[in-house]
Amino acid sequence: MTQVLRHGACAAIAASLTAFTAAPALADAVADFYKGKQMRMVIRSTTGNEYDLLARTLARHIHNHIPGRPSGVIAVNMPGAGGLKAAEYVAVQAPKDGTVLTIVSQGMPMYQALGLGRPTKADMKTFNWIGNMSTSNQTLVVWHTSPTMTIEDARNRVTPIGSSGAGSISMQLPAFYNSVLGTRFKIIFGYPGGGEMNLAMERGEIEGRGTNPWSAWKGTKPDWVAQKKIRPLIQVGLRKDPELPDVPLLLDLARNDEQRALAEFMTRAVAVGRPIATTPGAPADRVKALRAAFNATVEDAGFKADAIKQGLSVSTMTGEELESVVVGLINAPEAIKARVKQAIEPTDAQQAKGADAKKKKKAKAEAAE
C-alpha cells in the first residue's frame, strides 16, 4: 500500500512539474511566433463609423499587450453585404494563424442562427471570439424633420430608413419591428456604411437609420445629439440607457408572451455588440493570448485616452462571455428561431434598393422645378 502511494505521489509531482515547465514553454512559443509579425484588423464597414473607429483604436494598442510584441496591426476596410464580405474573407481566405483580427457585424450570429439570406461560408461557431467592445443599446432614430415622432406614428405612416445589407442588424431589426410591432418602416438598403446613411438623412433621401448604438451617435455625431437633430424612437438592450429614459425598450413594447419571447431573442442578439474575433482554426494558445491582450488593452490608460479623444464609449465583454452569447443564439430553440426568422425577413413591400430611392428622390425634385 505504501509503495503504491509513493508511486502515486511521485507521479503527481512529476505531472505538476511537467505542467509547470510546459506553461512557460507555451508562452515562449506564442511570443516567438508573434515577435516582429505584422498583423491585420479586417473591418466590415467603410471608414468613420463606430465599427471602424473602435477597430482602429484597438488595432493601435493591442499589439503592445500581445506576447512577443508584433510590429503593429494594420486596419483594412472590407465593406460589403452588411458584413458578409469581411466575415467570409476571414473564414475562408485569411491565414488561420492568429495574425488576423476582425470586427464582425453585430447581426452575423443571428443571420446564421436563422438561416437568413444566401448561404454563407462564415460559420460563427468556428470563429475564435476575442472580446466585445460595446454593449450600448441599439437605437432606431429618425431625422428631426420626420413627421414620425413616436412608434405609434411609425405604425400609421410609411417611414423610409437606411440599412446596409442582408447580414446587417440595420435591416434585421426594422423588419422585426414591422412584423412584430406593426410598424411600417420602408427599409432602404445598399448603403456601404453609416456615414452614407447619415448623408442620406441630411439630404432627405431617407428619414432615419435602422440601427446605431447610442454610444456611436454620441461618439461620431455629438453635435446631432446635442442639437436634437436625431430622434430615437426605440432602444434595444437589457435596460434603458440612462440618457434615454423616455425612449421605450423593445422588451417594454411586447404585448403578449410570444412577443416577449421574440423580443428577448432579439435583445440577446443585440448583446453581441461590436465583437472582435480571429479566424477559425487559430491555435488555442494564441487565441488565449489574444483574449488576454484584449482584456489588458481595454484597461490600458493609453487606449482609454485614445477612445475618449475620439468620443468613443467603450463597454466590454470578455471573449469567453461573447462566445457564450454567440453559441447560445445559434443554438436557441428551433420554434423561437423559426418565428424570429419569419419576423425578421423584410418583404418586398418593406424594402427598396438605395439607388432606386435616390432616383425617385431626384425625379420628385425635378418634377417640382
Side-chain angles (χ1 to χ4, degrees):
M1 179 69 72
T2 303
Q3 188 72 15
V4 172
L5 287 173
R6 187 180 298 119
H7 286 165
C10 289
I13 292 170
S16 64
L17 287 173
T18 300
F20 179 78
T21 56
L26 285 173
D28 289 345
V30 171
D32 288 344
F33 172 78
Y34 279 113
K35 186 176 181 179
K37 284 284 195 306
Q38 183 72 67
M39 298 177 65
R40 283 181 293 158
M41 171 71 77
V42 176
I43 304 172
R44 50 77 68 201
S45 67
T46 52
T47 59
N49 56 41
E50 192 191 41
Y51 278 108
D52 178 70
L53 295 175
L54 284 171
R56 286 176 180 272
T57 304
L58 183 69
R60 283 194 291 273
H61 297 272
I62 193 171
H63 69 283
N64 293 322
H65 299 279
I66 297 173
R69 291 289 296 270
S71 60
V73 182
I74 297 175
V76 180
N77 291 85
M78 198 175 293
L84 277 172
K85 182 178 178 181
E88 291 186 333
Y89 168 79
V90 170
V92 178
Q93 299 179 47
K96 307 299 187 292
D97 58 2
T99 60
V100 175
L101 296 170
T102 185
I103 187 163
V104 180
S105 175
Q106 185 176 35
M108 281 299 299
M110 183 168 60
Y111 183 90
Q112 177 178 336
L114 305 181
L116 299 172
R118 66 172 175 81
T120 174
K121 298 176 182 177
D123 183 354
M124 295 291 102
K125 287 197 293 185
T126 67
F127 275 47
N128 286 293
W129 300 99
I130 304 304
N132 183 2
M133 298 194 71
S134 176
T135 56
S136 179
N137 286 1
Q138 278 286 358
T139 57
L140 181 148
V141 307
V142 292
W143 194 240
H144 63 100
T145 57
S146 172
T148 300
M149 307 284 287
T150 65
I151 284 293
E152 193 57 39
D153 290 339
R155 291 188 176 107
N156 294 322
R157 70 178 294 271
V158 174
T159 307
I161 59 170
S163 166
S164 55
S168 169
I169 203 158
S170 66
M171 176 174 281
Q172 295 163 353
L173 274 176
F176 181 89
Y177 303 151
N178 286 344
S179 179
V180 176
L181 304 181
T183 54
R184 300 173 63 195
F185 293 115
K186 181 80 170 182
I187 305 166
I188 312 299
F189 70 96
Y191 291 99
E196 291 78 6
M197 283 183 258
N198 291 345
L199 285 173
M201 277 199 295
E202 287 187 291
R203 293 169 179 164
E205 295 169 6
I206 54 178
E207 292 183 24
R209 274 183 65 175
T211 53
N212 202 26
W214 187 242
S215 61
W217 284 121
K218 292 191 298 178
T220 60
K221 289 293 184 181
D223 54 329
W224 285 12
V225 172
Q227 298 169 25
K228 300 187 185 301
K229 287 191 173 182
I230 51 174
R231 184 186 309 124
L233 298 186
I234 186 171
Q235 58 181 315
V236 186
L238 296 173
R239 58 191 61 85
K240 285 186 176 182
D241 188 293
E243 297 180 11
L244 303 174
D246 299 323
V247 179
L249 276 171
L250 172 60
L251 289 169
D252 294 338
L253 292 170
R255 296 172 173 175
N256 53 50
D257 289 345
E258 181 195 21
Q259 287 187 1
R260 183 163 186 83
L262 300 179
E264 287 175 350
F265 180 94
M266 295 302 295
T267 299
R268 287 195 297 271
V270 165
V272 170
R274 295 292 182 257
I276 302 295
T278 189
T279 57
D285 56 346
R286 295 175 200 168
V287 173
K288 182 178 179 180
L290 290 173
R291 285 178 169 179
F294 175 89
N295 295 340
T297 301
V298 296
E299 295 298 328
D300 181 89
F303 170 85
K304 289 182 177 180
D306 196 354
I308 290 171
K309 182 180 179 181
Q310 296 176 81
L312 293 172
S313 176
V314 179
S315 52
T316 63
M317 180 188 296
T318 68
E320 292 84 355
E321 291 169 332
L322 177 58
E323 180 181 355
S324 177
V325 170
V326 171
V327 173
L329 274 173
I330 295 173
N331 292 340
E334 293 300 322
I336 293 293
K337 290 195 292 187
R339 179 64 185 92
V340 172
K341 181 178 180 180
Q342 181 185 29
I344 211 172
E345 291 188 317
T347 64
D348 291 341
Q350 291 176 357
Q351 63 179 323
K353 186 71 173 174
D356 295 335
K358 292 177 183 179
K359 288 178 182 177
K360 290 178 182 177
K361 181 72 179 179
K362 182 178 180 182
K364 184 176 179 180
E366 292 174 346
E369 292 177 354

